């Protein structure tokens, strides 16, 4: 049985928690897109892990962890991630595979990300400054790219870095009047990366196909959210990869046809970090209530997340383009204590009601959320483990989201811990 977990909103839906739970019954867990812009939280007992590149299944000692082709790898973050697990007595020796074709995020990518954002002023995208866009741009441009496999041949890499750095310095100087970077410094760092990471570098596509043929169960872990997809999200306020389920095949080399189940993760409300349209945003005391109660601060950057009501138009779009089979609805507990709740069931655009999400931001800017208002519940629900023990209004809220998204909600989060979960 192969499963894929995908974020259905603008990221941070709680994918890490769901992947960690499902990893218990998986042989292999795969990250296949994005980079260290991701921050996936897994809480085990009193320990809180924030995973940026390692799959969230890596906390489970029986899993084999794969970082596949389309991930952009910041070696420093990855090495730190491996060391953090080791400090918690979780070893990845013999159970981590890194694609030789995955691209490497180097210091000049992070510098370029920062300089570009700074130069854009109020028009900035609000990136995580993790070098994601510049690294993917180098991948698409091809001539100045470094892949994990290049770390195996340091002599050739040294020459390659010299030409890359020469080019980058021209850009930094001409566009940003910025200090040059030094090729030797980058190369020295690459030597350390090579020493620590080359033992894990391999052909992950071959490994995945052989494993699937051999009957192993694979869990694919999406990063970011469907609405941040480069081609299908709210461009340009997106990330630089295909973060909807459409990116799973290209990212891992395993066709979607070989995946039995796509599970979409969504919060019981909506959050977004960085710029871009957000039709159900509540930049008011409701948004602040959700932010405080749900601890809505970025796992990677610590930025406060923008918060708003559940948007069934946006989630249904992600469900449709992602062929999502069922939903995991997280953070239902965060809504406890609100007198009434709103669910966006349509957008009004130029006097017309629309239920298909317009990914074009010019249209989205004109969209007014059409809400239905439902009663909330007072009770805290973090100790509830059976759907029927939820307050009736909470049950109705979940059922209404099922109706609007036309998918069953089979997992409900009532708190950040593994155990704070309802299965239906
Ligand atoms: P991801 O990027 O999708 O893995 O999500 P993040 O880890 O960035 O953000 C989700 C946050 O919500 C984390 O702090 C989780 O510990 C927390 N979380 C996950 N599920 C629930 C839930 O059902 N209730 C509450 N209160 N917190 C949750
Ligand atoms: P996880 O996997 C939430 C957002 C950034 C910014 C935009 C582009 O934890 O859900 P980038 O650095 O990718 O160029 O930034 O995308 N973004 C995320 N928002 N969760 C994430 O990952 C995100 N990864 C990128 O805030 O708006
Ligand atoms: Mg996150």
């Amino acid at each position: 049985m192969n499963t894929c977990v995908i974020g259905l909103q603008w990221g941070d839906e709680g994918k890490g928690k769901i992947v960690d739970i499902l990893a218990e019954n998986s042989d292999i867990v795969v990250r296949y897109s994005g980079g260290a812009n991701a921050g996936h939280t897994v809480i085990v007992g009193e320990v809180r892990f924030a995973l940026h590149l390692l799959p969230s299944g890596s906390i489970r000692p029986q899993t084999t962890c794969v970082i596949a082709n389309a991930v952009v790898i910041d070696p420093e973050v990855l090495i730190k991630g491996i060391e953090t697990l080791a400090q918690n007595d979780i070893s990845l020796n013999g159970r981590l595979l890194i694609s030789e074709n995955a691209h490497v995020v180097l210091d000049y990518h992070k510098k370029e990300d920062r300089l570009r954002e700074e130069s854009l002023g109020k028009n900035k995208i609000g990136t995580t400054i993790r070098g994601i866009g510049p690294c993917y741009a180098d991948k698409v441009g091809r001539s100045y790219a470094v892949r994990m496999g290049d770390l195996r041949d340091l002599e050739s890499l040294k020459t390659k870095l010299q030409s890359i750095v020469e080019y980058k310095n021209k850009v930094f100087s001409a566009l940003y009047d910025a200090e040059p970077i030094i090729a030797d410094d980058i190369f020295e760092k690459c030597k350390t990366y090579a020493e620590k990471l080359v033992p894990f570098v391999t052909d992950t596509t071959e490994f995945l196909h052989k494993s699937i043929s051999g009957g192993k169960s694979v869990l694919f872990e999406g990063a970011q959210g469907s609405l941040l997809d480069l081609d299908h999200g709210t461009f340009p306020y997106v990330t630089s990869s295909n973060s909807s389920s459409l990116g799973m095949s290209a990212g891992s080399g395993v066709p979607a046809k070989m995946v039995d189940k796509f599970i979409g993760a969504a919060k019981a409300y909506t959050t977004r970090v960085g710029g871009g349209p957000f039709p159900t945003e509540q930049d008011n005391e409701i948004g602040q209530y959700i932010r405080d109660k749900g601890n809505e601060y970025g796992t990677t950057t610590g930025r406060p997340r923008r918060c708003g009501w559940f948007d069934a138009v946006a989630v249904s779009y992600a469900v449709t383009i992602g062929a999502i089979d069922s939903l995991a609805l997280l953070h239902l507990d965060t809504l406890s204590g609100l007198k009434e709740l709103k669910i966006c069931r349509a957008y009004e655009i130029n006097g017309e009601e629309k239920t298909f999400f317009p990914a074009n931001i010019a249209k989205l800017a004109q969209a007014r959320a059409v809400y239905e208002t439902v009663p909330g519940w007072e009770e805290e629900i973090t100790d509830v483990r059976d759907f029927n023990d939820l307050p009736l209004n909470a049950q109705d809220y979940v059922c209404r989201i099922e109706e609007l998204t036309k998918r069953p909600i089979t997992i409900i989060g009532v708190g950040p811990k593994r155990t704070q979960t309802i299965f239906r």
Side-chain angles (χ1 to χ4, degrees):
M1 169 95 171
N2 302 324
T3 307
C4 180
V5 174
I6 290 289
L8 298 181
Q9 294 161 321
W10 280 288
D12 304 326
E13 295 89 350
K15 300 175 293 292
K17 171 177 162 163
I18 299 302
V19 168
D20 167 61
I21 289 172
L22 298 178
E24 190 177 9
N25 297 311
S26 307
D27 298 308
I28 299 164
V29 188
V30 186
R31 262 291 300 274
Y32 59 82
S33 71
N37 48 350
H40 296 180
T41 312
V42 176
I43 298 176
V44 184
E46 298 306 309
V47 188
R48 184 178 187 278
F49 296 94
L51 296 140
H52 301 288
L53 284 163
L54 288 167
S56 299
S58 55
I59 313 294
R60 306 263 185 194
Q62 95 290 353
T63 58
T64 298
C65 300
V66 172
I67 303 179
N69 299 34
V71 178
V72 287
I73 299 177
D74 180 335
E76 272 168 35
V77 177
L78 181 54
I79 291 165
K80 198 158 171 238
I82 295 170
E83 287 170 356
T84 303
L85 291 198
Q87 283 155 13
N88 286 278
D89 296 326
I90 303 169
S91 167
L92 285 161
N93 285 336
R95 63 181 191 98
L96 172 65
L97 289 86
I98 303 170
S99 172
E100 58 198 1
N101 293 341
H103 285 247
V104 186
V105 177
L106 293 165
D107 284 350
Y108 52 79
H109 292 123
K110 290 178 266 191
K111 182 173 172 125
E112 193 175 339
D113 201 354
R114 180 177 52 78
L115 289 169
R116 189 183 305 175
E117 283 284 271
E118 281 170 6
S119 74
L120 285 168
K122 69 174 179 35
N123 293 323
K124 69 180 182 183
I125 288 168
T127 75
T128 57
I129 322 276
R130 295 301 185 268
I132 305 299
C135 185
Y136 277 117
D138 281 350
K139 166 176 153 174
V140 176
R142 296 154 296 166
S143 315
Y144 298 110
V146 177
R147 305 207 287 182
M148 289 304 291
D150 293 330
L151 294 175
R152 288 179 181 136
D153 179 355
L154 289 172
E155 272 311 300
S156 305
L157 181 60
K158 191 171 190 178
T159 313
K160 191 175 199 173
L161 279 173
Q162 266 151 5
S163 82
I164 295 175
V165 166
E166 196 181 314
Y167 168 77
K168 294 283 174 191
N169 279 337
K170 283 185 194 154
V171 174
F172 289 150
S173 157
L175 297 185
Y176 307 110
D177 197 19
E179 290 288 304
I181 45 167
I182 296 161
D184 283 348
D185 292 352
I186 310 255
F187 180 67
E188 285 307 310
K189 286 189 176 186
C190 284
K191 285 199 323 209
T192 313
Y193 305 155
E195 191 189 317
K196 301 210 165 157
L197 297 178
V198 162
F200 301 109
V201 174
T202 186
D203 182 341
T204 53
T205 311
E206 180 183 4
F207 172 77
L208 286 173
H209 279 277
K210 283 190 173 159
S211 302
I212 292 170
S213 299
K216 299 284 187 202
S217 63
V218 185
L219 177 59
F220 295 89
E221 173 176 359
Q224 287 76 55
S226 302
L227 305 174
L228 288 170
D229 186 291
L230 178 62
D231 292 299
H232 303 281
T234 50
F235 188 90
Y237 298 99
V238 291
T239 190
S240 299
S241 63
N242 287 117
S243 52
S244 68
S245 83
L246 296 163
M248 186 238 112
S249 307
S252 66
V254 177
K257 207 171 156 178
M258 292 169 84
V259 175
D260 305 281
K261 199 167 182 198
F262 282 88
I263 299 176
K267 276 177 184 157
Y269 47 90
T270 313
T271 63
R272 174 162 208 173
V273 214
F278 181 175
T280 63
E281 181 166 19
Q282 298 300 300
D283 190 10
N284 53 30
E285 68 285 359
I286 299 280
Q288 192 57 46
Y289 182 89
I290 293 174
R291 190 174 305 113
D292 291 344
K293 194 146 196 280
N295 190 26
E296 292 295 357
Y297 294 88
T299 309
T300 297
T301 58
R303 289 178 292 177
R305 294 178 182 143
R306 299 157 66 191
C307 301
W309 297 121
F310 186 85
D311 185 340
V313 179
V315 170
S316 297
Y317 169 72
V319 163
T320 303
I321 63 164
I324 300 297
D325 296 294
S326 62
L327 303 192
L329 191 73
L330 285 312
H331 275 271
L332 189 64
D333 53 300
T334 300
L335 296 179
S336 289
L338 287 167
K339 248 194 181 50
E340 50 183 36
L341 306 171
K342 288 184 198 244
I343 303 175
C344 169
R345 63 162 181 82
Y347 294 160
E348 194 191 286
I349 302 176
N350 291 332
E352 236 185 285
E353 242 182 58
K354 291 253 180 214
T355 51
F356 197 90
F357 182 81
N360 176 321
I361 64 160
K363 288 188 198 157
L364 200 51
Q366 295 166 23
R368 194 183 61 79
V370 180
Y371 290 112
E372 51 189 48
T373 304
V374 296
W377 58 92
E378 273 302 320
E379 303 89 321
E380 292 301 335
I381 58 173
T382 46
D383 293 331
V384 176
R385 297 292 175 266
D386 187 320
F387 183 72
N388 298 309
D389 293 336
L390 284 172
L392 283 180
N393 287 347
Q395 293 185 29
D396 288 346
Y397 184 75
V398 172
C399 293
R400 185 62 188 138
I401 290 177
E402 283 185 319
E403 280 170 11
L404 288 166
T405 57
K406 301 188 180 68
R407 291 299 182 279
I409 293 173
T410 54
I411 305 173
I412 298 169
V414 290
K417 295 183 180 159
R418 272 179 181 167
T419 50
Q420 290 174 314
T421 311
I422 297 172
F423 297 94
R424 291 164 85 208

